[in-house]
Amino acid sequence: MDGHRSEATATAMTTALAAEMREVVRALLSVLDPEQVRELRAGPARLDAPELREWTYLPGGRPGLPTEGLGDRQREAVDALLATAHSAAGAALAHGAIEVERHRRAMVGATGADRYWLRLLGDPEGDGPWGWRMNGHHLAVHVLITAAGMRVTPHFIGAEPARITHGPQAGRRLLGPEEDLARELVTDLDVGRRAEAVFAAAPPDDILTRADPFADPDLLPTGLPYGDMTPGQQRLLQRLVRRYLDRAPTAYAQECWSDAVARGLDALSFAWAGGRAPGDRHYYCVRAPDFLIEYDNTQDGGNHAHSVWRHVRHDWGADLLRAHYTEQHG
């Protein structure tokens, strides 16, 4: 009975969030000119088209509406839409990635406005699936909505620099909690457990899944299983996982966590590579049957961080789209 109530509550919250997103999209469309609307709607008719699994967190152009030419009201409407895909903490991270990128450009003397691209996919006014995505350097947010729910992965946040050392934001670490929780966990391990968790003295140069169209936990090292950790270490790993899941709106974050608990937290594992001292180049990942998490801070001498949350079944809303198209075509 409690499960039915929880499912009904999640569905109601998703429905409310979808309605909010529709209103924000309407507000955005109302302040764009016809050519901007055409750019915004760039994309194939079917949302399971292979090209929609192409993404990157590197600098460079993307399909969609570029934000660098937007006016103030238009930019505010885009910011409002970005916020709807996140919890308050998640929205702060997403907007923070943009702010840190501004700092990076200022430090190297680069001029110009923010360079991100927004795409509206499907028709938010219709009964079919729809969604949107916003991509650019160190930011990748993908949203898919159907009557059955919403999905928000792949979700990527990066920070260059990972720690700001100059200017009014000096000391800011956008992904500080993501780094500190994992370091606390690996530091707490005894010699035997640490030998199982640490798979390399030198970390990889980037996240191992890169911009793969399909999430594959088998690309990651196995590491130390949750069941082999002490209760305190298990609590740290739970906090680390929740830090990533809680980027999403509450209903979806809770759905993902409940699924992980139902499958058994013993299926989680944690792996680390690199140094353990603050400032050392390092990498970690969390594997689970349904999702994976990766973090690296290896470039620029250990001051350039990447973090990603992928879901094996949910990326790109694949499960919701499959159910929708199966039902639609009998």
Side-chain angles (χ1 to χ4, degrees), residues 35-54 62-65 117-123 129-133 135 325:
E35 176 59 22
Q36 289 174 317
V37 172
R38 186 194 66 77
E39 292 177 314
L40 178 70
R41 292 186 177 277
R46 283 184 63 99
L47 302 192
D48 57 356
E51 70 181 81
L52 293 182
R53 292 178 179 269
E54 297 174 2
R62 317 282 201 274
L65 172 68
W117 286 262
L118 181 66
R119 301 176 77 179
L120 178 62
L121 306 168
D123 180 8
W130 66 284
W132 56 273
R133 59 190 56 182
N135 300 81
Y325 289 130

Side-chain angles (χ1 to χ4, degrees), residues 204-227:
D205 291 334
D206 201 344
I207 58 173
L208 297 177
T209 55
R210 303 299 201 276
D212 291 351
F214 297 96
D216 184 1
D218 289 338
L219 293 173
L220 308 182
T222 302
L224 177 67
Y226 177 92

Side-chain angles (χ1 to χ4, degrees), residues 38-228:
R38 186 194 66 77
E39 292 177 314
L40 178 70
R41 292 186 177 277
R46 283 184 63 99
L47 302 192
D48 57 356
E51 70 181 81
L52 293 182
R53 292 178 179 269
E54 297 174 2
W55 69 296
T56 177
Y57 46 87
L58 301 177
R62 317 282 201 274
L65 172 68
T67 62
E68 61 181 326
L70 298 182
D72 290 344
R73 290 180 63 205
Q74 296 169 337
R75 179 72 231 195
E76 289 172 2
V78 170
D79 287 345
L81 182 60
L82 186 60
T84 65
H86 298 90
S87 64
L93 276 176
H95 288 291
I98 297 172
E99 292 165 357
V100 173
E101 177 67 7
R102 290 172 186 159
H103 171 84
R104 184 195 68 80
R105 292 200 310 271
M107 289 299 96
V108 298
T111 59
D114 300 331
R115 300 192 74 233
Y116 298 88
W117 286 262
L118 181 66
R119 301 176 77 179
L120 178 62
L121 306 168
D123 180 8
E125 303 294 350
D127 296 328
W130 66 284
W132 56 273
R133 59 190 56 182
M134 188 167 172
N135 300 81
H137 189 210
H138 284 165
L139 178 66
V141 178
H142 306 91
V143 180
L144 192 286
I145 297 171
T146 75
M150 72 174 296
R151 303 291 183 247
V152 297
T153 59
H155 192 281
F156 180 99
I157 297 287
E160 180 190 0
R163 179 194 290 273
I164 294 177
T165 57
H166 300 90
Q169 296 189 69
R172 182 180 189 182
R173 298 169 63 228
L174 180 67
L175 295 169
E178 283 81 354
E179 179 174 320
D180 294 345
L181 281 168
R183 178 179 292 110
E184 184 177 356
L185 173 55
V186 74
T187 302
D188 191 67
L189 301 176
D190 59 31
V191 174
R193 290 185 174 92
R194 189 176 299 153
E196 193 171 356
V198 177
F199 67 93
D205 291 334
D206 201 344
I207 58 173
L208 297 177
T209 55
R210 303 299 201 276
D212 291 351
F214 297 96
D216 184 1
D218 289 338
L219 293 173
L220 308 182
T222 302
L224 177 67
Y226 177 92
D228 292 345

Side-chain angles (χ1 to χ4, degrees), residues 295-316:
Y295 176 98
D296 78 85
N297 189 350
T298 60
Q299 300 177 37
D300 301 336
N303 196 25
H304 179 157
H306 297 154
S307 70
V308 69
W309 166 30
R310 303 289 303 267
H311 199 291
V312 176
R313 293 181 292 107
H314 293 184
D315 269 12
W316 319 108

